[in-house]
C-alpha cells in the first residue's frame, strides 16, 4: 500500500533531503538537477516527481522543514 506515512516512504524522503543538503554544500541551487539528485539519492525520477514538482519545490519544502525544526527547539 502506497501511503505517505509508511516507513519506506519516510526513509526515501529523508534520503532526498540529506542528498539535497549535500549537493547544496557543493553547488548553487540552480546548478542542481533532478537527474543528479536522483542518481545521488539512488531513487527513480518518478519517485522524485511523485513528491516534488521540481528542485525549487523541494527547496521550499526542505526550508519549511528546517524552519519547523528550529521553531521546535527550546
Amino acid at each position: 500500500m502506497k501511503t505517505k506515512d509508511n516507513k519506506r516512504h519516510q526513509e526515501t524522503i529523508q534520503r532526498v533531503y540529506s542528498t539535497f543538503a549535500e549537493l547544496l554544500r557543493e553547488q548553487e541551487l540552480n546548478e542542481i538537477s533532478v537527474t543528479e539528485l536522483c542518481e545521488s539519492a539512488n531513487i527513480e525520477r518518478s519517485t522524485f516527481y511523485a513528491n516534488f514538482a521540481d528542485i525549487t519545490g523541494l527547496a521550499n519544502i526542505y526550508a519549511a522543514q528546517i524552519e519547523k525544526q528550529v521553531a521546535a527547539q527550546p
Side-chain angles (χ1 to χ4, degrees):
M1 175 188 317
K2 289 187 178 184
T3 175
K4 294 195 183 248
D5 292 329
N6 81 26
K7 185 176 180 179
R8 193 164 86 192
H9 180 266
Q10 300 273 335
E11 290 170 353
T12 299
I13 297 302
Q14 284 306 118
R15 193 166 60 244
V16 169
Y17 289 158
S18 176
T19 302
F20 181 64
E22 289 174 22
L23 291 172
L24 276 176
R25 286 186 208 105
E26 301 168 4
Q27 41 190 309
E28 297 292 322
L29 178 63
N30 63 350
E31 297 173 335
I32 299 171
S33 71
V34 171
T35 300
E36 177 182 26
L37 185 129
C38 290
E39 287 174 358
S40 296
N42 197 28
I43 64 167
E44 299 292 326
R45 288 173 54 89
S46 60
T47 300
F48 177 88
Y49 285 115
N51 294 283
F52 309 101
D54 53 20
I55 292 292
T56 303
L58 167 60
N60 291 335
I61 293 169
Y62 182 72
Q65 289 295 323
I66 298 294
E67 288 175 12
K68 191 192 291 187
Q69 290 173 358
V70 169
Q73 298 286 323

